[in-house]
Structures are given as C-alpha cells and as structure tokens.
C-alpha cells in the first residue's frame, strides 16, 4: 500500500499527521516482501568450496527451519544457483529426498514441494548446489590487485540488498533473521575472514585447508561476509572486543590510523547506545580493487582500500574520509545490524542514522575539521535534488529488491540525516540520546519501522515526534520560510510563513498542486547570539514575539540545522549583511546556500548573490569557501562560449588573492582548514585556466617524480590534476606510468583520475581508451568517462560511451548501469543531451536504471532553463559584450 500517495491525494493544504498514524510499528506478519511467512529459517550450517580459477563454487547446507502453519511448499530465494540435491527431515518425518525445486525466475525463488503437507514444527532442509564467482564486485566475487609478488586476487562478498541468494539458497529479506555457521575450503596460503571468529583450521583433501567459523547471532542474510586471500591482520582491543584491520600483504603500516579510529569509535558508541557491541570481534577489511565504498557486514565490514587505509604521512583529506567512513559503518553495527529496518522502504532508518552518527563522532574527536559545516554542504546538495519534481520521499514504497538498489541516494542518506540533526536540536541532545538507547534496548536482535523510532524518541522527550516527522519523511520536498518582522513597543514581532520550496519559478500548474505543510522546528535568534529557543511552526504561518528587542539583526536558524530555506524581507537581509563577518560560521554558510538556491529558483537577483560571493577572499571557513567554489561551477555550467572567458576571469579574480596568501607550501602552525583549502583553490584556479597556476603545477609535478617528498601529502592530488590539466603527451605518459606502478589503491585512483583532467582533446582521447583497458582498476574505468566529460569533453565522452556501450555495460555491476551513463551527461546544460541520454537508456538499459536516468534528465533540463533565464543577467554582470 502506497501510504504517501494516499496522503498527498488529499486536495489543498495538508498536515501530514494523518499519514504518520498510517504507519504501524514492526510486525513480522505484515512486513512487505515476497516470501510467505509460514516457513522461517532458524539456522544455516553452510559449507563452501570455491574454485577461483574456474570462477565456480560448490555449496552445501543444512537449514534448521520452523513451519508455523501447515504448508505444501517451501519458498526460498536463489539466483544463479544450480541445486544438485535436496532432502527434508524432522517433526516425525524420516529423511525424504526432495524432487528438483520449481524455479520462480521472476521472484528469484526456489519452491520445494515435499510429498506430504508439512505440519507446524521444526525440520531440517539439506541441499547442495553450484554457483558462480563474479568478476564485477557483487555477490561472491574475485577482487584482482597488484602486489609486490605479482598479480593476485581476493575472494570477497558484497550482498546488500539481495546478493546473498547468489551465494546460498536462503530467506533473503531483512525480517527473516537466522544464525549462520560457515566453513570454507581454501588453498593453504589463504586466510579467511567472516562475520565471526574462526574456531578451527584443518587440512582436508586436495591440499586445501578448511576454516570453520563460530555461529553468528540471528541476523539478516544481507549482512553475511566472507573474504579470503593473502591477508594480514593488525589487531587491537576496545572494551574487550578484538578490533582487526585486515589488508592484503605488505600494507600493515597503512592500517594504524584506521585501527586507532575503530577502537576510539567502538568505545564511544558503546557509551552512546548504552548496549555494548555484541560480537567478540570486529574486523575492518580493505579490498584493493573494484568494490566501491564500504559495507557494514556484522563483525566484518568491507571497504574499498582507499576508504580505510592511510599511508604513513598521508593527507588530512584521507584521514577525514577514513574516519567518517569507519564511523558510519561502525554505527551500522547497532543501527542496521543489531536493529534492522523491517523492509527496504525504511532503508533510511539504517542510512540516515549512520550518516548523522558519523558526523557527530567526527565532530567530537576532530573538531578542527568542522564536519557539521561539511554535512550542511551535503545536505544542501540533497535539498537541490529534493526541490525538483523527480524527488521522492525519504520513506518510499519498495515493491521488490531491484527497486531497493535505487534507494541508496542522497535523499535517503542526507535528507534523512538532515532531519535527524534538526530533530535532535529540537528535542535536546540528552532526550534524543535517551530515546535512541531505549529503542536499541527494546528492539535488539529484531526489526523495526520508523514508527518504532518515533515512539521511543517521543517517550523520551515528551514531544509529538511521529507528528513532527511525518511530512519530512513521508512527503517529498521541504519548506521555504519567508520571514518579516515589525517592532512593537520595543519588542520584535517576527512573521513566519511556510510554502513548498521549488527549484524553479513555479509554473501555473505547479502552483495549483496541493501543497504539503510541515511541522518545522526552528530557532529564532539574533546575529549577536541572543535567544534562539526552538519553536515548532505547525501551521502555514505564525507570529513570534522576540523579547530581545529590535536592535540586533534577526537571525533564523543560527545553527544551520534546519532542512528548509529561509527568505528574509529585504530590510532584515540587509541588516544581516551589515554584520556579515561577525555572524556565526553556520549562519554565513546558510545565508550563502539560501541565496544560491533562491537565485536558481528565480527569487533572488544575481547581483545580490555575486555580492555575497565577493566576500570569499576574507572567509576563514573552508566549507564556506567550498560553497563559493560550487557557485562558480554553477556559473560555469550555464555560461555559453561567449561568457566562459569572463566567468573564468571572474573566478581567478575571486580566488587568486586567497591562494596567493596561502601559497603552494604548507606552513608551520596553519590550521587543518587552511591545509584542506589550498588544494581546492589550486584546482579551481587550474580549471579556470589560470596560466600561472598551470605552469607552477607542472613544475612541481615534474620535481615530485624525482623527489616525491617535495609535494606535501595534502597537495599530491591537486598537483597531479593541475599537471594533467595543462599536460603535453610526455607529462600525460609520466602520470600514466606512475598510476600503473602504484600499489596503493588511493594512489592509483589519484593518478588515473588526474589523467582525465587533460585539456588537450588528443590526450582526452587517450584517457578515454583507458575506460575499457583491463590494466586500469575497475572502479577507475567506470568513472573515467564522466571525469573526461567534466573536464570539457562531454561530447567526445558521450560518443565514446556510445561506441563502446556493450563493453561498458558488461563491465559494471548491473545496478550501476544507469549511473555510469548518467554521470557522463550530468553536467550538461543542453536539452539535446538530455534527449540522447533518455533515448539511449530506453533502448539499451534495464527498466530499473530509468529512475536514475530520469533524475539526470531532469537536472540537465533544469540547468538548460536556468541558462535561458540567467545567462543575460550573468553576461551583463560580468560585462560580456555580444560577439
Ligand atoms: Zn551505510
């Protein structure tokens, strides 16, 4: 049942509390999914024998299962598995050989039909099968890499949301929890890691060694993990839990940062959640090749190596990335693993919470990184998506698992996390934490819906949390708060009015659509920091009396925690601008972001926004400078050929004084933010074709080939990018050779990624050829064409992708098909490019890829309309004379 659509179908203004009541707490019986609920697994005892050379494996298992209602059939998931034998026994039934199962290809299920109906009780289902080891990083796969000893490969797994059915026949939906006891036969040189510690290693026939693991707690199948190969483990302890950083051989030295972070975080999270981490060990495993990102498998988290390892002397960017990722995945050990969303429509429960918790932890242990400001930038990107018609609610109906794969997007992660941030601010830190503790304690080892979380937070805070949450989670979009004020008897009366914020000037049709009303938690303070109590705007408009008087400038949402935009009346806006440098960092960031969003939606003149951007040379905060860089990218994205040189000159004029003050080299005593800003400014100047920066970057790159230490770690990516941007064939070749020699995944990503920045069309052609070259790591191959497109060669990259479509499609994971092609077209402002993207997708891609394609199409068409509206204003502002 699509609850959201039912709610939105109500005409006129709508307070979404009725929708919140529609969502029920978790109940196994009513949880969506395709599996019948009359047979449930209790324990799988699984034995696997991989044959890596043949890309095949054999498996066998005994499943203890419970029949809850008399049934004639046993349904369970399997995909690309060939079952070779099966038998059933128990509940008074002797061992009975089962006939070949019926295959329901559409549901990816096997259906066994025993000779007699099964009465309620416990049974053992035994079976054997054969399956496939993949080359793309999905299900059970081989992960190739280069080691000092030569070419190697790890065996690894990645299952979320529905890959486990490609390893073993199982009940592959998150509400079907079971225990898993694994054993695996591997060559003697291999070490195997799984969710639980190994309990035994013994030689078996064929020169293999059998590793047996302890039983997992009851858990969803998507959390199963198995990694094997020539591994080494660096170990520490936190609160009695053994913490391991597992790498391929020879990389132990790069594990130290992650180990310290993992220990610190586990201890902190044990305290926050109030329920200690329940497994005896927690491994963090670095995969060197084609696996992207990280996956929170219980007790055995996998990462791409570049998001886990930091080489000795590595950059602060790397540390920040690794710390945030380890924190996110560690948070999932509770939020996701110990307590799991009932169905994929509540995926955001897992992801939004882990995203919020990671920022909280990074801020706590590394305040110098100013991560809340960074999180606000990511939230702003989600808001840009969320203001367009192709957005979706955080909680969205998922009919089958293939739809779940498209739910892993910025709305799920960042809007969800943004809402939790706003909610915590409103409820108070202690009440929010107490609610989370109660929720984890109550639902540990089970599943939940959002309603369970709201109930716990509501009980802890005494606030109507379900009502507050409903519109933010169940409806698409977010509000714009229009703010004005008047002074009465020395007190300021603040007027607030909410309306749905739209990315573009509303058409007559859109204006006539029913609009959601949100319950908006909002703080109303002043520029000087007075006041700021959180109130709840729960109607279309409200008036609030501010006792602080009328002298200081009014400041709405001073902490920038609101998932909404603010539009001040002109006098209020001018008063804030007059106090600009003294405003809190969070407020300067929000004013700039709101101004950029209002500019794009046709509610703010370009000149006002340029006046805000012009303040960046004096801006101390990295995140605010980064925001201005994205404004410059926006202007570059809508500039036509006539306007491009003027936009570049404008960018250079804005950025160069700040970069000149920072210099190319790190200085003793500088802040983290200065160290992180330097490379971003340098790369932006190179992108604007600043001749001096391009020359200096090339000189520094040439020197670094002989003396790697001559470029500080924080600048190696920027120097490689800048050298590549202005590269000749010899420089391009030097960079390519360094990329090929590199052993660390991070270094390979850096150098291959830099090659794509080349401005020379001939070099862009050579870079594109690498997108189908086997010696290039798979993840890099997938991203190269999009990077070449961004560097100014979009037409050429699209043409290359068309000419090599079948090779590219065969190379990527099936659900990345849409993303790979969408990314090439993405930055375009051409409606013709949108047409070509859609035509290609309809002809060549599976239907599941279309939502991603539609979002990108929408983004391109929105940019094309923005160009039509804004370009004349931009040209006038920058003094571009007609050609
Ligand atoms: Zn996650």
């Amino acid at each position: 049942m699509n609850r959201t659509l039912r709610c939105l179908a109500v005409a006129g203004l709508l307070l979404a509390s009725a929708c919140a009541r529609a969502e029920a707490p978790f109940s196994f019986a009513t949880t969506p999914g395709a599996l019948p609920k009359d047979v449930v697994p209790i324990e799988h005892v699984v034995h696997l024998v991989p044959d890596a050379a043949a890309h095949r494996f054999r498996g066998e298992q005994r499943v203890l299962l419970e029949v809850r209602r008399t049934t004639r059939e046993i349904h369970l998931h399997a995909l690309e598995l060939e079952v070779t034998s099966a038998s059933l026994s128990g509940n008074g039934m002797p061992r009975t050989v089962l006939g070949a199962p019926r295959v329901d290809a559409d549901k990816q299920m096997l259906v066994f039909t025993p000779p007699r109906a099964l009465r309620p009780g416990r049974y053992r289902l035994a079976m054997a099968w054969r399956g496939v080891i993949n080359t793309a990083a999905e299900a059970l796969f081989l992960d190739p890499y280069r080691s000092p000893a030569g070419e190697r490969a790890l065996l690894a797994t990645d299952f979320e949301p529905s890959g486990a059915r490609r390893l073993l026949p199982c009940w592959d939906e998150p509400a079907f929890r079971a225990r898993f006891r694994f054993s695996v036969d591997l060559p003697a040189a291999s070490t195997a890691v799984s969710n639980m510690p190994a309990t035994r290693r013994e030689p078996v026939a064929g020169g293999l060694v059998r590793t047996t693991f302890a039983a997992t707690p009851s858990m969803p199948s998507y959390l199963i993990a198995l990694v094997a190969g020539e591994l080494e483990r660096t170990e520490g302890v936190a609160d009695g839990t053994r913490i391991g950083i597992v790498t391929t051989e020879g990389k132990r030295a790069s594990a130290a940062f992650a180990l310290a972070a993992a220990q610190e975080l586990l201890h902190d999270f044990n305290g926050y959640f109030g329920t200690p981490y329940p497994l005896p060990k927690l491994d963090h495993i670095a995969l060197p090749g084609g696996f992207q990102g990280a996956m929170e498998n219980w007790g055995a988290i996998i990462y791409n190596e570049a998001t886990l390892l930091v080489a000795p002397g590595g950059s602060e960017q790397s540390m920040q990335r690794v710390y945030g990722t380890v924190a996110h995945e560690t948070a999932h050990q509770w939020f996701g693993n110990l307590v799991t969303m009932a169905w994929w429509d509540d995926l955001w429960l897992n992801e939004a919470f882990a995203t919020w918790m990671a920022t909280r932890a990074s801020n706590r242990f590394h305040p110098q990184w100013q991560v809340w400001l960074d999180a606000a930038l990511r939230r702003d990107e989600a808001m840009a998506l969320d203001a367009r018609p192709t957005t979706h609610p955080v909680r969205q109906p998922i009919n089958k698992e293939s739809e779940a794969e498209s739910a892993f997007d910025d709305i799920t992660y960042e809007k969800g996390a943004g809402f939790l941030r706003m909610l915590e601010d409103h409820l108070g830190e202690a009440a929010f934490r107490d609610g989370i503790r109660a929720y984890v304690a109550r639902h540990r080892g089970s599943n939940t819906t959002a309603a369970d979380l709201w109930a716990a937070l509501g009980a802890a805070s005494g606030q109507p949390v379900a009502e507050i949450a409903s519109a933010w989670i169940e409806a698409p979009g977010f509000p714009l708060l229009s703010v004005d004020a008047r002074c009465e008897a020395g007190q300021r009366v603040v007027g607030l009015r909410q309306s749905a914020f739209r990315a573009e000037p509303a058409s007559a049709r859109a204006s006539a659509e029913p609009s959601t009303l949100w319950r908006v938690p909002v703080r109303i303070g002043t520029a000087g920091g007075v006041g700021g109590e959180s109130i709840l705007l729960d109607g279309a408009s409200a008036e609030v009396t501010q006792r602080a008087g009328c002298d200081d400038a009014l400041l709405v949402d001073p902490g920038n925690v609101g998932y909404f935009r603010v539009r001040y009346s002109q006098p209020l806006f001018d008063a804030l601008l007059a106090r600009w440098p003294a405003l809190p960092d969070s407020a300067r960031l929000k004013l700039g972001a709101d101004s950029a969003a209002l500019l794009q939606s046709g509610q703010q003149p370009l000149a006002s926004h340029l006046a805000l951007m012009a303040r960046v040379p004096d801006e101390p905060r990295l995140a605010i400078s980064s925001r201005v860089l994205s404004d410059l990218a926006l202007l570059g994205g809508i500039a036509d050929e006539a306007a491009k040189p003027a936009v570049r000159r404008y960018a250079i004029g804005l950025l160069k004084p700040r970069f000149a003050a920072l210099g190319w080299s790190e200085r003793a005593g500088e802040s983290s933010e200065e160290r992180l800003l330097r490379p971003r400014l340098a790369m932006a100047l190179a992108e604007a074709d600043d001749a001096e920066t391009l020359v200096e970057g090339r000189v520094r790159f040439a020197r670094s080939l002989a003396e790697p230490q001559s470029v500080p770690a924080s600048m190696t990516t920027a120097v490689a990018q800048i050298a590549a941007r202005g590269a000749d064939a010899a420089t391009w070749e030097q960079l390519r050779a360094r990329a090929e020699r590199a052993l660390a995944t991070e270094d390979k990503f850096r150098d291959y990624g830099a090659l794509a920045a080349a401005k020379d069309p001939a070099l862009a052609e050579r870079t594109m050829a690498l997108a189908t070259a086997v010696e290039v790591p798979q993840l890099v191959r997938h991203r190269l064409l999009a990077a070449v497109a961004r560097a100014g060669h979009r037409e050429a990259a699209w043409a290359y992708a068309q000419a090599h479509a079948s090779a590219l499609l065969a190379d990527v994971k099936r659900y990345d098909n849409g993303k790979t092609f969408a990314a090439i077209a993405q930055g375009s402002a051409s409606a013709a490019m949108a047409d070509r993207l859609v035509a290609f997708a309809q002809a060549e891609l599976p239907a599941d890829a279309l939502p991603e394609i539609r979002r990108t199409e929408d983004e391109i068409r929105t940019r094309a309309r923005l160009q039509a509206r804004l370009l004349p204003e931009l040209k006038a502002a920058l003094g571009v004379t007609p050609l």
Side-chain angles (χ1 to χ4, degrees):
M1 173 69 210
N2 181 339
R3 285 187 270 267
T4 303
L5 288 182
R6 193 180 63 195
C7 291
L8 292 178
V10 179
L13 289 175
L14 172 81
L15 253 177
S17 57
C19 308
R21 279 186 218 109
E23 193 192 4
F26 170 67
S27 129
F28 180 72
T30 57
T31 293
L35 285 168
K37 303 241 173 17
D38 48 11
V39 178
V40 296
I42 295 164
E43 183 178 70
H44 293 250
V45 181
V46 187
H47 181 62
L48 299 168
V49 185
D51 180 351
H55 286 246
R56 306 276 304 167
F57 71 95
R58 286 190 291 112
E60 54 190 54
Q61 67 176 344
R62 281 173 293 125
V63 188
L64 175 63
L65 55 83
E66 184 174 296
V67 172
R68 293 185 169 179
R69 276 187 303 269
T70 300
T71 179
R72 295 297 312 229
E73 294 183 328
I74 299 171
H75 296 244
L76 71 171
H77 286 108
L79 180 63
E80 295 161 6
L81 301 181
E82 181 200 348
V83 172
T84 51
S85 69
S87 65
L88 187 68
S89 61
N91 203 19
M93 177 180 165
R95 181 176 171 275
T96 306
V97 173
L98 299 176
R102 176 161 60 81
V103 176
D104 184 337
D106 187 46
K107 291 183 174 164
Q108 305 181 348
M109 280 187 197
L110 302 177
V111 184
F112 288 104
T113 311
R116 284 184 304 281
L118 303 177
R119 286 175 292 106
R122 291 195 167 190
Y123 295 81
R124 278 197 189 277
L125 174 64
M127 63 181 90
W129 66 91
R130 283 195 274 263
V132 179
I133 301 176
N134 295 286
T135 48
E138 54 187 343
L140 178 64
F141 63 95
L142 279 176
D143 192 42
Y145 66 99
R146 169 174 286 190
S147 86
E151 300 302 320
R152 291 287 186 276
L154 294 184
L155 192 65
T157 59
D158 179 39
F159 293 137
E160 193 183 19
S162 59
R165 66 191 65 173
R166 297 164 74 179
L167 181 75
L168 72 162
C170 61
W171 286 256
D172 199 15
E173 290 177 4
F176 284 79
R177 303 175 87 94
R179 297 190 299 271
F180 294 89
R181 290 156 56 97
F182 283 100
S183 58
V184 58
D185 292 351
L186 293 160
S190 267
T191 304
V193 182
S194 184
N195 305 87
M196 295 296 285
T199 53
R200 216 154 96 179
R201 259 175 76 87
E202 60 195 323
V204 290
L208 300 177
V209 169
R210 176 166 304 169
T211 306
T212 304
F213 298 93
T216 69
S218 191
M219 69 178 201
S221 48
Y222 78 89
L223 294 173
I224 293 170
L226 177 68
V227 178
E230 296 176 11
L231 299 170
E232 57 188 33
R233 190 166 186 275
T234 307
E235 193 169 295
V237 176
D239 296 352
T241 300
R242 292 188 352 244
I243 308 282
I245 308 297
V246 179
T247 68
T248 53
E249 285 178 350
K251 291 179 176 169
R252 187 170 273 151
S254 301
F257 180 80
L259 181 60
Q263 289 171 288
E264 177 173 80
L265 288 161
L266 194 85
H267 173 68
D268 182 57
F269 290 4
N270 276 337
Y272 188 88
F273 288 114
T275 297
Y277 173 77
L279 307 192
K281 65 98 177 171
L282 176 53
D283 286 323
H284 302 259
I285 308 163
L287 302 184
F291 171 73
Q292 183 176 357
M295 173 61 209
E296 67 263 22
N297 309 309
W298 214 356
I301 305 169
I302 56 170
Y303 300 77
N304 183 285
E305 187 190 290
T307 58
L308 186 65
L309 303 187
V310 180
S315 71
E316 206 151 357
Q317 290 101 316
S318 306
M319 293 180 199
Q320 203 173 339
R321 179 174 66 238
V322 167
Y323 198 92
T325 312
V326 172
H328 179 109
E329 304 308 328
T330 302
H332 274 313
Q333 304 304 304
W334 287 261
F335 241 83
N337 302 1
L338 184 60
V339 182
T340 310
M341 83 258 131
W343 180 244
W344 301 107
D345 55 356
D346 268 326
L347 174 68
W348 77 275
L349 270 179
N350 281 10
E351 296 304 345
F353 189 88
T355 302
W356 171 83
M357 188 77 171
T359 310
R360 180 199 159 276
S362 292
N363 181 60
R364 176 166 175 172
F365 293 104
H366 296 278
Q368 76 280 13
W369 291 338
Q370 299 278 348
V371 288
W372 280 119
L373 295 178
D374 270 347
L377 290 180
R378 295 196 304 273
R379 182 203 62 203
D380 287 337
E381 284 175 26
M383 290 170 81
L385 294 176
D386 202 17
R388 292 207 292 259
T390 42
T391 187
H392 61 81
V394 169
R395 185 170 183 281
Q396 55 178 338
I398 300 290
N399 296 311
K400 53 181 182 176
E401 289 86 349
S402 58
E403 293 175 11
E405 282 162 348
S406 76
F408 290 82
D409 69 358
D410 277 354
I411 299 292
T412 299
Y413 284 67
E414 300 297 343
K415 183 178 183 181
F419 172 69
L420 291 177
R421 163 95 161 135
M422 181 166 70
L423 185 64
E424 186 210 21
D425 185 67
H426 183 65
L427 303 182
E429 199 178 340
F432 187 84
R433 187 205 56 215
D434 291 348
I436 296 295
R437 285 181 176 174
Y439 168 83
V440 170
R442 171 147 190 213
H443 301 288
R444 57 176 301 170
S446 183
N447 297 62
T448 54
T449 68
D452 295 302
L453 180 61
W454 307 146
L457 292 171
S461 66
Q463 297 259 0
V465 176
E467 277 86 20
I468 295 172
S470 63
W472 301 100
I473 302 301
E474 304 272 348
F478 58 89
L480 168 70
L481 299 192
S482 300
V483 183
D484 57 23
R486 61 181 191 274
C487 207
E488 278 178 10
Q491 295 193 333
R492 181 151 48 205
V493 181
V494 181
L496 299 170
R497 190 165 46 79
Q498 64 162 306
S499 56
F501 180 82
R502 295 184 206 281
E504 295 183 89
S507 65
R509 200 178 118 239
S511 305
E513 283 170 11
S515 175
T516 307
L517 273 185
W518 287 264
R519 286 190 162 88
V520 188
V522 55
R523 289 182 188 273
I524 300 184
T526 67
V530 180
E533 198 185 329
S534 185
I535 62 153
L536 197 62
L537 171 64
D538 60 1
S541 62
E543 286 202 335
V544 182
T545 301
Q546 199 179 32
R547 294 196 185 81
C550 308
D551 293 341
D552 197 2
L554 171 70
L555 185 58
V556 173
D557 188 22
N560 192 6
V561 299
Y563 191 88
F564 48 75
R565 298 269 168 234
V566 176
R567 185 185 188 196
Y568 294 97
S569 67
Q570 196 63 46
L572 294 175
F573 188 70
D574 292 343
L576 282 168
L577 282 197
R579 289 167 178 75
W580 182 262
L583 295 177
D585 299 330
S586 50
R588 290 200 311 286
L589 184 62
K590 184 174 182 68
L591 277 168
D594 286 344
S595 171
L598 290 165
L599 168 72
Q600 292 171 73
S601 73
Q603 301 178 76
Q604 168 93 311
L606 178 65
S608 311
H609 190 64
L610 292 178
L612 277 187
M613 289 171 67
R615 294 173 184 266
V616 76
D618 303 319
E619 178 51 60
R621 289 280 84 86
L622 170 70
I624 300 175
S625 302
S626 298
R627 226 203 50 68
V628 173
L629 294 180
S630 65
D631 284 346
L632 288 169
L634 172 84
L635 298 183
I638 59 162
D640 59 9
E641 291 308 313
K644 276 197 163 74
V647 171
R648 291 192 192 115
R649 276 196 304 276
Y650 174 72
I652 292 167
L654 209 54
L655 306 178
K656 204 135 181 209
R658 188 72 205 279
F659 184 65
L662 283 172
W664 282 81
S665 304
E666 291 182 358
R667 288 165 310 175
E670 71 181 2
S671 70
S672 289
E673 287 179 283
E674 287 170 317
R675 219 165 16 252
L676 293 165
L677 178 60
R678 176 180 293 113
R680 292 188 204 181
L681 289 176
M683 286 190 284
L685 285 166
E687 264 173 53
D689 292 335
D690 178 54
E692 195 184 349
T693 305
L694 288 170
V695 168
E696 189 63 28
R698 205 155 129 190
V699 168
R700 284 173 188 267
F701 173 72
R703 187 169 160 215
S704 76
L705 290 174
E707 295 172 59
Q709 302 307 323
S710 65
V711 174
S714 65
M715 284 294 281
T716 50
T717 299
V719 165
Q721 290 262 346
I722 296 164
R725 177 90 188 137
D728 55 16
T731 305
W732 188 95
E733 187 50 44
Q734 284 168 332
L735 195 52
R736 195 203 56 78
R738 191 173 81 174
E740 198 175 310
R741 279 196 311 273
L743 294 176
T745 305
E746 186 181 9
D747 296 346
K748 279 195 180 296
F749 283 5
R750 178 195 65 212
D751 287 345
Y752 277 119
L755 289 172
K759 212 180 153 189
D760 180 343
L763 295 178
E765 289 290 338
R766 288 171 69 174
T767 306
M768 288 191 286
L770 297 176
T772 44
V774 285
E775 75 270 20
V776 177
Q778 199 172 37
L779 268 188
V780 175
R781 291 202 298 265
H782 299 169
R783 295 169 180 181
L784 270 183
L785 293 178
V788 169
R790 278 197 301 278
H793 311 286
R794 183 160 287 110
E795 289 295 329
W798 182 256
Y800 187 93
Q802 299 302 291
H804 298 82
S806 55
L808 292 168
L809 286 171
D811 197 38
V812 298
K813 287 204 291 188
R814 64 184 77 180
Y815 78 81
D816 283 344
N817 280 337
K819 290 179 187 163
T820 305
F821 287 88
I824 298 167
Q826 197 167 29
S828 172
S830 150
M833 178 58 90
D835 293 340
R836 283 188 278 167
L837 175 67
V838 172
F840 169 78
Q842 284 171 339
E844 304 289 343
L845 298 182
D848 296 338
L850 281 181
E852 184 69 32
I853 298 293
R854 290 289 178 201
R855 277 196 284 272
T856 304
E857 179 202 3
D858 187 31
E859 181 187 324
I860 296 171
R861 295 197 196 283
T862 305
R863 190 178 295 109
R865 290 189 293 268
L866 182 68
Q867 183 183 52
R869 277 192 287 122
L870 212 55
L871 192 54
E873 217 178 325
L874 180 64
K875 285 181 172 175
L878 300 184
V880 179
T881 45
L883 287 172

